[in-house]
């Protein structure tokens, strides 16, 4: 069977050396070559950017391949398809013919198909004896078969590049997260170091990162961030190694929690008022915490004693201990309590008692200079079984009862109805608890 050997396009379309090179490559197909047309199409689609093919051009190529009846492309069979523009438009989901012609030119330019134009530019085929095609004019799919291995290699390279880009982005994300959080830990924990300098370096590095970056750019940024990571990590590691694990409590508090150089541990102790010691249960009268009630505090009593926490609760309500703990976690950063201080309190006391302690500190925050240092102090006392949350809550309730009693007394002197003075009270305690508070000296 003798096929058409037309090499130049019809009409005003110019002939280029690229077109001729594509035809020469297609003419050198091995006689035994064969390839699945849809597998080659998937490879072409994967490597479309490297080939310079457009999305719509691939939609047209998909339609052209559908006009080739066999599943495989072989050198023995005719690889010229000759659909009209109207037929192509229908199989390309109704693409306008002006758009169709433009993207057909893209397929020819990228060397994916070859034009085999008839003398008048029409696409058709002549059949010989027996119905076999003797001569055809249209689009030659030979380049797809001739370059099947090239497309496969290109698709594999594109997949590797995509994987490398994804890994580089993951590496960048981890580097940025580690550096930022280690700098925050150093600042929050009061570790000596040039943290502003580290933060400036980080911002300068990240500022050079474009919105859409190529893999080499991302890897260069990652290398600089990893150098910064090493410097920050070494600063934290050196501080940890320099700490004496046998140091006394005041030494540990001075290094870990006093991030403000203008406030000494002596200043903090001077701000520790008598009421605070009484509320924390560390005074002489409540030194034996084993004599305190062993049962858990009722949630309602704790909320009545610490109403300030309600301002940070979701919807302004606390219905369960889970809500209470969540509200305490919300209050922690506003109080200047570091994550490590909170975590240590949770590990030693449990989440509920740690939350009660934070709520009580929040309630008396105006009388506590360093809330984070005070929480750590109470945590250490709880570790030694010298601290209980009961005295804190009882002292806060006593203060509230005293304030209400004074308000009622003032109303009586002013001639107000005593019932009106008690109507706003939210603290309800049993007679047995009131008797116990009097016995312990918690209620006057």
């Amino acid at each position: 069977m003798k096929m058409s050997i037309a090499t130049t396009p019809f009409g005003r379309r110019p002939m280029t050396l690229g077109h001729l090179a594509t035809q020469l490559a297609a003419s050198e197909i091995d006689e035994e070559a064969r390839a699945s047309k849809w597998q080659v199409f998937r490879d072409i689609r994967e490597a479309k950017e490297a080939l310079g093919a457009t999305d719509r051009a691939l939609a047209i190529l998909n339609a052209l391949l559908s006009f080739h009846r066999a599943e495989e492309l072989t050198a023995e069979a005719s690889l010229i398809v000759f659909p009209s523009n109207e037929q192509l438009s229908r199989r390309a989901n109704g693409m306008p013919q002006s758009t169709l012609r433009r993207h057909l030119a893209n397929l020819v330019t990228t060397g994916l198909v070859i034009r085999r134009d008839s003398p008048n530019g029409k696409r058709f085929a002549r059949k010989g004896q027996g119905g076999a095609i003797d001569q055809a004019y249209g689009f030659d799919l030979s380049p797809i078969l001739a370059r099947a291995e090239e497309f496969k290699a290109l698709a594999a390279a594109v997949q590797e590049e995509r994987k490398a880009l994804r890994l580089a982005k993951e590496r960048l994300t981890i580097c940025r997260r580690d550096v930022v959080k280690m700098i925050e830990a150093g600042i929050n924990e009061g570790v000596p170091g040039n943290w502003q300098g580290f933060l400036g370096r980080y911002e300068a590095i990240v500022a050079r990162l474009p919105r859409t970056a190529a893999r080499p750019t991302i890897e260069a940024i990652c290398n600089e961030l990893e150098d910064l990571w090493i410097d920050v990590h070494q600063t934290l590691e050196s501080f940890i190694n320099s700490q004496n694990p046998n140091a006394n409590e005041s030494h540990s508090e001075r290094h870990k929690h006093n991030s403000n150089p203008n406030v000494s541990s002596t200043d903090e102790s001077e701000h520790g008022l008598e009421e605070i010691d009484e509320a924390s249960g560390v005074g002489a009268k409540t030194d034996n915490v084993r004599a305190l009630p062993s049962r858990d505090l009722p949630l309602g009593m704790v909320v009545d004693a610490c109403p300030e926490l309600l301002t940070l609760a979701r919807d302004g309500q606390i219905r369960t201990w889970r809500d209470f703990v969540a509200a305490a976690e919300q209050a922690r950063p506003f109080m200047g309590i570091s994550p490590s201080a909170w975590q240590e309190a949770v590990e030693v006391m449990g989440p509920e008692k740690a939350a009660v302690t934070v709520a009580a500190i929040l309630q008396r925050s105006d009388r506590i200079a360093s809330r984070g240092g005070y929480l750590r102090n109470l945590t250490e006392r709880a570790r030694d079984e010298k601290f209980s949350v009961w005295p804190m809550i009882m002292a806060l309730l006593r203060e509230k009862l005293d304030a209400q009693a004074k308000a009622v007394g003032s109303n009586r002197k002013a001639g107000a109805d005593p019932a009106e003075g008690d109507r706003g009270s939210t603290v309800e305690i049993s007679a047995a608890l009131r008797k116990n508070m009097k016995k312990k000296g918690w209620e006057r």
Side-chain angles (χ1 to χ4, degrees):
M1 178 179 65
K2 182 68 175 176
M3 302 297 295
S4 170
I5 57 171
T7 57
T8 56
F10 171 78
R12 296 182 180 181
R13 300 188 188 99
M15 178 69 181
T16 66
L17 292 179
H19 296 166
L20 186 57
T22 301
Q23 294 178 22
L24 290 175
S27 65
E28 297 175 356
I29 300 177
D30 188 350
E31 294 181 357
E32 298 180 357
R34 61 181 57 244
S36 169
K37 63 180 182 181
W38 298 122
Q39 179 59 53
V40 179
F41 177 74
R42 284 191 289 271
D43 293 337
I44 293 172
R45 185 175 57 193
E46 191 73 24
K48 64 179 181 180
E49 294 181 359
L51 294 171
T54 62
D55 292 337
R56 291 199 170 187
L58 293 185
I60 296 171
L61 179 61
N62 180 78
L64 288 173
L65 287 171
S66 69
F67 284 102
H68 185 272
R69 295 183 178 181
E71 171 66 23
E72 285 190 328
L73 303 176
T74 63
E76 300 173 352
S78 171
L79 297 180
I80 296 179
V81 292
F82 37 86
S84 65
N85 282 354
E86 184 179 354
Q87 290 174 315
L88 266 179
S89 178
R90 283 200 299 267
R91 292 205 185 182
N93 303 318
M95 184 181 296
Q97 292 199 17
S98 58
T99 305
L100 183 75
R101 287 191 291 270
R102 187 167 66 253
H103 291 289
L104 277 172
N106 177 263
L107 290 177
V108 175
T109 302
T110 55
L112 295 175
V113 298
I114 300 173
R115 284 185 182 273
R116 302 292 189 186
D117 288 344
S118 66
N120 62 1
K122 301 293 183 180
R123 301 174 202 140
F124 61 90
R126 291 193 179 98
K127 295 182 179 180
Q129 294 180 352
I133 294 178
D134 184 45
Q135 194 173 32
Y137 297 99
F139 295 103
D140 191 351
L141 303 178
S142 297
I144 296 178
L145 177 60
R147 302 174 62 186
E149 292 300 321
E150 176 190 347
F151 296 145
K152 183 177 180 180
L154 275 175
V158 168
Q159 290 174 353
E160 286 296 322
E161 178 62 24
R162 186 180 295 120
K163 179 181 178 181
L165 179 61
R166 184 177 68 252
L167 294 176
K169 288 182 177 179
E170 291 175 359
R171 177 185 169 199
L172 175 65
T173 300
I174 293 174
C175 284
R176 293 181 64 174
R177 183 185 67 197
D178 283 1
V179 169
V180 169
K181 291 199 173 185
M182 284 195 299
I183 291 175
E184 288 180 351
I187 294 173
N188 292 336
E189 298 290 342
V191 177
N194 184 17
W195 300 112
Q196 293 302 321
F198 290 148
L199 191 59
R201 283 176 59 187
Y202 170 79
E203 292 175 349
I205 293 171
V206 174
R208 299 199 307 273
L209 185 65
R211 181 180 294 273
T212 303
R215 181 172 59 85
T217 302
I218 295 177
E219 289 180 344
I221 295 292
C222 285
N223 292 336
E224 295 186 47
L225 284 175
E226 285 179 351
D227 291 340
L228 177 58
W229 184 96
I230 292 173
D231 294 340
V232 175
H233 190 271
Q234 285 180 347
T235 301
L236 295 176
E237 184 179 5
S238 299
F239 175 75
I240 293 172
N241 293 335
S242 67
Q243 300 305 296
N244 183 0
N246 297 321
N248 58 36
E249 182 178 320
S250 62
H251 180 80
S252 176
E253 289 294 323
R254 181 166 62 252
H255 278 279
K256 290 183 180 178
H257 319 301
N258 189 12
S259 59
N260 186 351
N262 298 322
V263 180
S264 65
S265 58
T266 304
D267 295 330
E268 291 180 13
S269 64
E270 289 175 355
H271 286 282
L273 301 177
E274 232 176 80
E275 293 87 348
I276 299 171
D277 286 338
E278 183 182 30
S280 64
V282 299
K285 292 183 180 180
T286 58
D287 189 55
N288 186 7
V289 296
R290 294 181 179 85
L292 296 172
S294 58
R295 65 184 183 278
D296 293 334
L297 280 164
L299 177 60
M301 182 187 298
V302 177
V303 174
D304 283 340
C306 308
E308 287 293 329
L309 195 64
L310 287 170
T311 60
L312 295 171
R314 178 178 293 182
D315 300 329
Q317 295 182 348
I318 294 178
R319 300 181 179 87
T320 64
W321 277 110
R322 179 178 296 179
D323 296 340
F324 189 86
V325 173
E329 289 179 343
Q330 290 291 326
R332 175 196 62 75
F334 296 105
M335 298 168 62
I337 297 175
S338 66
S340 61
W342 165 253
Q343 186 62 34
E344 187 178 3
V346 170
E347 292 174 358
V348 174
M349 304 181 194
E352 294 177 359
K353 291 182 179 179
V356 171
T357 306
V358 169
I361 294 174
L362 174 65
Q363 194 66 29
R364 294 194 173 194
S365 59
D366 58 332
R367 285 171 276 181
I368 302 176
S370 175
R371 290 95 174 182
Y374 189 62
L375 178 62
R376 287 188 183 273
N377 181 271
L378 296 182
T379 301
E380 290 302 317
R381 292 181 180 275
R383 195 192 305 276
D384 297 335
E385 298 184 356
K386 295 181 180 179
F387 167 72
S388 171
V389 294
W390 271 91
M392 300 181 74
I393 299 304
M394 293 301 104
L396 290 171
L397 287 173
R398 187 185 68 188
E399 285 186 358
K400 196 167 188 178
L401 289 172
D402 289 346
Q404 290 171 357
K406 290 179 181 179
V408 170
S410 300
N411 290 337
R412 285 177 179 173
K413 290 180 181 180
D417 187 357
E420 293 293 331
D422 293 337
R423 190 167 296 172
S425 175
T426 60
V427 181
E428 298 180 2
I429 60 177
S430 65
L433 179 57
R434 185 182 296 274
K435 183 179 179 180
N436 188 33
M437 288 173 65
K438 289 182 178 180
K439 185 186 298 183
K440 296 289 186 178
W442 290 333
E443 182 181 14
R444 296 184 180 89

